[in-house]
Amino acid sequence: MLTLTSIWTTVLLAAAVALGPLATDMYLPALPQIGSDFGTGTDQVQLTLSLYMAGFAIAQLICGPLADRFGRKPIMIGGFVLFALASIGCALATNIETLILCRFLQALGGSAGPVLGRAAIRDIYTPREAAKILAILASIMALAPAIAPTIGGFLVTGLGWSSIFLALGGYALVMAVVVAFGIPEPMRPENRQTLKLCSLLRNYRKIGTDVSFLGYTLTNALTFSGLFAFLSGSSFVLIDFLGVAPEHFGLYFALMVAGFVTGNLFAVRLGSMLVPDQILVRGLVIAVAGGSLMAGLALSEVYNVWAVILPQALFMVGTGMVLPQTMAGAMANFPRMAGSASALFGFVQMALAAGAGMLVGHLHDGTSLVMAVVIATCACAALASYLLLVQRHPAAGFEPQGVSAQ
């Protein structure tokens, strides 16, 4: 079994966390085909994505406290098994309602990986170290969305969309075995929390009323919502509107992921020269520039693949710089409640992202305009959240003017 601080432990945690983006990105090329097979519109098909995110958000509020009580590993393993069973249900679905239900159940299990992966990093490292490790983890994890749409495109073309869910179920079972036998329990016994309802509510109240936590969480969630707006609308824009073949969708998607990895690498490199606050504001400015450029081109009726992909790649450079800093900052003040803090953080992130996705699906006009405007709006709102909350209330032990969290 690996040591907690081993780079391979980080790699395995990244692989566990990657189940989340795999479950959303791998089947993006299949969305138009699913709609055609079930005879449903864009808004109904998009619900398989948005309700997945809603279930993901709700489940984190449950698995976080459970992990604070029983440890990270058993909850993560149970989540992977549930995800695998729900994936089989998705593959066997014969109508859109069944698929939506199984996607929701899939989300309940899939939430364990990301929420407990973040908590494990906070268990192992200090807040400043965690920002660097999360950036490294995000870079490794970015391999999933880089290759997932390409794999999904070939699967849907060669074997049909149900094969995508069978592949996801197999991956989840492999990760259950890897976590069980490859990673030590990262949570210290003395940090275990009670499951009494009054204690849980008291913990969530303490976390949710911390202005620093709210600032980092909202900045992260709004930036992530811009990313999810792209995930929700990109297959319809690129495949249906701009004529990209499903098997080629992933190639364009990989350029966006390359932007995200570039932002992660910038964050890691700048971590030794700048404080997290300086990295964060630079990332937000880049994200606003990318979102505004895409919206400006769409408003000018410039409709082609590069008018979507290149601005989104720029947005993703900023996102890759923002997300690790805000994740680490949100949990910096709560070393003894990392599971609950990560759960509430994830709930807000996924709830806002689901809302952005539903907005794109509901207002989609057959062009890239709605998607682009939502991305730009989310980026600007994230910058406003930083200026109004994070800049005024940085996390203690994370920014230099703070004191190390105990």
Side-chain angles (χ1 to χ4, degrees):
M1 189 168 285
L2 299 170
T3 60
L4 287 174
T5 54
S6 167
I7 184 61
W8 290 109
T9 297
T10 301
V11 171
L12 291 180
L13 286 173
V17 174
L19 186 62
L22 279 174
T24 55
D25 299 341
M26 188 178 286
Y27 93 125
L28 291 179
L31 291 180
Q33 185 61 54
I34 290 172
S36 176
D37 286 354
F38 290 148
T40 59
T42 300
D43 55 341
Q44 281 284 92
V45 177
Q46 201 277 333
L47 279 178
T48 66
L49 197 58
S50 292
L51 287 184
Y52 175 88
M53 300 302 282
F56 210 95
I58 294 169
Q60 291 186 82
L61 294 178
I62 300 171
C63 72
L66 286 175
D68 280 345
R69 175 64 183 88
F70 298 109
R72 316 304 184 202
K73 285 182 58 173
I75 307 304
M76 193 180 290
I77 293 167
F80 287 144
V81 172
L82 175 58
F83 181 96
L85 294 174
S87 296
I88 295 173
C90 289
L92 298 176
T94 57
N95 54 63
I96 193 67
E97 291 80 13
T98 302
L99 182 60
I100 289 172
L101 174 61
C102 289
R103 282 286 289 171
F104 184 81
L105 294 175
Q106 200 182 37
L108 299 184
S111 67
V115 69
L116 300 184
R118 289 191 299 264
I121 294 298
R122 183 62 187 91
D123 290 333
I124 300 168
Y125 298 98
T126 65
R128 292 292 295 275
E129 291 171 338
K132 296 180 182 179
I133 296 298
L134 284 168
I136 295 172
L137 184 146
S139 296
I140 298 170
M141 197 177 72
L143 292 174
I147 64 175
T150 301
I151 295 173
F154 282 109
L155 284 175
V156 72
T157 301
L159 300 173
W161 58 263
S162 61
S163 64
I164 295 174
F165 292 107
L166 293 177
L168 288 170
Y171 182 90
L173 290 177
V174 170
M175 288 314 306
V177 174
V178 167
V179 171
F181 298 103
I183 302 175
E185 173 58 55
M187 184 181 183
R188 296 179 182 178
E190 62 270 22
N191 285 345
R192 292 184 185 272
Q193 301 287 314
T194 179
L195 273 180
K196 293 180 180 179
L197 181 60
C198 58
S199 297
L200 295 180
L201 294 177
R202 184 168 60 249
N203 288 348
Y204 274 134
R205 180 182 178 184
K206 180 179 180 181
I207 297 166
T209 55
D210 184 281
V211 180
S212 173
F213 173 86
L214 290 175
Y216 287 107
T217 299
L218 286 175
T219 303
N220 178 288
L222 289 164
T223 305
F224 185 79
S225 294
L227 164 59
F228 193 72
F230 178 80
L231 296 180
S232 297
S234 59
S235 60
F236 298 104
V237 169
L238 294 178
I239 296 174
D240 283 351
F241 177 52
L242 298 176
V244 172
E247 60 269 26
H248 297 154
F249 175 82
L251 300 178
Y252 292 104
F253 199 86
L255 294 177
M256 182 205 76
V257 176
F260 184 71
V261 173
T262 300
N264 290 154
L265 295 178
F266 280 163
V268 173
R269 185 168 182 82
L270 293 173
S272 59
M273 297 180 285
L274 303 175
V275 297
D277 180 83
Q278 294 171 316
I279 300 172
L280 181 52
V281 70
R282 284 164 171 76
L284 287 168
V285 169
I286 293 172
V288 169
S292 299
L293 177 60
M294 188 193 298
L297 290 171
L299 288 168
S300 301
E301 298 186 354
V302 178
Y303 294 133
N304 61 67
V305 171
W306 299 113
V308 173
I309 294 298
L310 293 182
Q312 182 65 17
L314 181 62
F315 173 87
M316 292 305 295
V317 172
T319 300
M321 297 173 69
V322 169
L323 296 191
Q325 312 305 315
T326 49
M327 286 180 193
M331 294 189 291
N333 292 344
F334 305 101
R336 299 185 185 278
M337 293 183 286
S340 295
S342 180
L344 189 57
F345 172 90
F347 172 80
V348 176
Q349 182 193 61
M350 295 301 175
L352 290 183
M358 289 180 182
L359 192 63
V360 170
H362 183 69
L363 299 178
H364 180 60
D365 64 349
T367 72
S368 60
L369 179 61
V370 171
M371 181 183 74
V373 170
V374 171
I375 291 170
T377 301
C378 288
C380 292
L383 179 59
S385 176
Y386 165 80
L387 295 173
L388 295 174
L389 295 173
V390 175
Q391 194 173 60
R392 298 179 182 181
H393 303 278
F398 187 56
E399 304 293 355
Q401 57 266 52
V403 180
S404 295
Q406 298 297 319

